Amino acid sequence: MSMTKFFVAVVAAASVLHALPAAAKAAQCGNNSAGFQAWVADFKQEAAASGVSPSVLNRAFANVSYNKSTIAADRGQKSFKLSFDAFMKKRGGATIISRGRSMKRANQGLFASIEGRYGVPAGPLIAIWGMETGFGSYMGNQHTLSAVSTLAYDCRRSDYFTDQLYAALQLVSEGYLNPQARGAAHGEIGQTQFLPRNVVRFGADGDGNGRVDMVGSRADALASTANFLRGHGWQAGAGYQPGEANFAAIAGWNAATVYQQAIAYIGQQIDGQ
């Protein structure tokens, strides 16, 4: 499928799928594993009634199970409460800066192309790439569809992750998400850790091969990240430090203030070398 056809399909499907989570609310959420299988059965019925192919549902849910690791991660995001200095130390900020400068030098053409297309310079993209997966070295080991399904079932943010689950089903149906794929604990995908809905909305073909591969293609992952930032108000040529025009776009990536500050600082150290 060409990227043009893919995004036409995405837009058409998204117009339907964005409306579907309201129909799925009848599936009863829960706060432990006891009701998960019943929830899956109800969700599959409602999704099928809303137009999702039974074959897609069967493939997607073939190996889905309640993921206790996902729940633990969702309840334990303590690093975002650290001071800036403690957060940078815990997340290896100095190493990200050092390696990030090397990554920028080694991929000058790619970053120039991305900045020309989206207006986003290398620094913040490299900062996100390094912070999220150590430049693609570790993208997670949790079963993606189990993670997203568990959070859709969990009462804390059921509506939000039900929407993510419908987006994941769309990616399965289009062949852009393997039902056996593994990633981060909340269902994030690829080298910069996109949730499924953001893959649908902002996924970009950075290497020109006609597909969006957030896992295997750094060009796709980085172009998609730039597209995300542009979609959240990034202005070409404007600053991205706290108080500057593009800092709000970084806030769109992650709601934690200390994370936003770290990305801005790391990006500045890389861009200003």
Side-chain angles (χ1 to χ4, degrees), residues 50-262:
S50 298
V52 181
S53 165
S55 65
V56 169
L57 290 166
N58 289 336
R59 286 190 291 120
F61 283 95
N63 293 294
V64 163
S65 61
Y66 185 82
N67 193 324
K68 293 182 179 179
S69 296
T70 286
I71 295 299
D74 191 56
R75 304 292 192 266
Q77 301 181 64
K78 296 179 181 179
S79 67
F80 293 144
K81 298 178 181 179
L82 296 173
S83 69
F84 174 79
D85 289 342
F87 183 82
M88 286 286 288
K89 183 176 181 179
K90 184 176 180 64
R91 300 295 286 264
T95 299
I96 294 172
I97 291 168
S98 177
R99 288 195 60 200
R101 288 170 172 167
S102 297
M103 288 292 186
K104 182 179 178 180
R105 289 192 295 270
N107 297 275
Q108 288 182 5
L110 172 61
F111 287 113
S113 174
I114 290 173
E115 184 168 10
R117 184 175 177 184
Y118 300 103
V120 183
L125 298 177
I126 293 171
I128 290 170
W129 188 24
M131 183 74 73
E132 294 290 347
T133 66
F135 309 103
S137 64
Y138 184 73
M139 290 176 266
N141 61 2
Q142 300 301 311
H143 184 243
T144 297
L145 286 165
S146 290
V148 179
S149 297
T150 296
L151 291 170
Y153 161 71
D154 186 61
C155 291
R156 193 167 86 89
R157 291 188 287 172
S158 182
D159 288 351
Y160 179 80
F161 278 98
T162 296
D163 179 63
Q164 297 296 335
L165 181 54
Y166 273 105
L169 293 175
Q170 179 179 330
L171 294 174
V172 170
S173 73
E174 297 289 344
Y176 284 82
L177 178 64
N178 187 318
Q180 302 309 315
R182 291 185 173 271
H186 287 78
E188 301 98 331
I189 298 165
Q191 297 196 33
T192 55
Q193 302 285 268
F194 267 45
L195 285 169
R197 178 60 67 195
N198 286 332
V199 178
V200 170
R201 291 182 64 194
F202 300 109
D205 176 18
D207 57 19
N209 71 349
R211 292 186 60 82
V212 174
D213 180 1
M214 303 294 289
V215 174
S217 171
R218 65 176 52 175
D220 289 2
L222 292 166
S224 299
T225 305
N227 194 31
F228 176 100
L229 293 173
R230 185 177 68 174
H232 284 75
W234 190 280
Q235 302 173 34
Y240 57 84
Q241 296 306 298
E244 295 182 323
N246 287 328
F247 190 72
I250 296 175
W253 181 269
N254 190 298
T257 300
V258 70
Y259 184 101
Q260 299 159 15
Q261 293 170 338

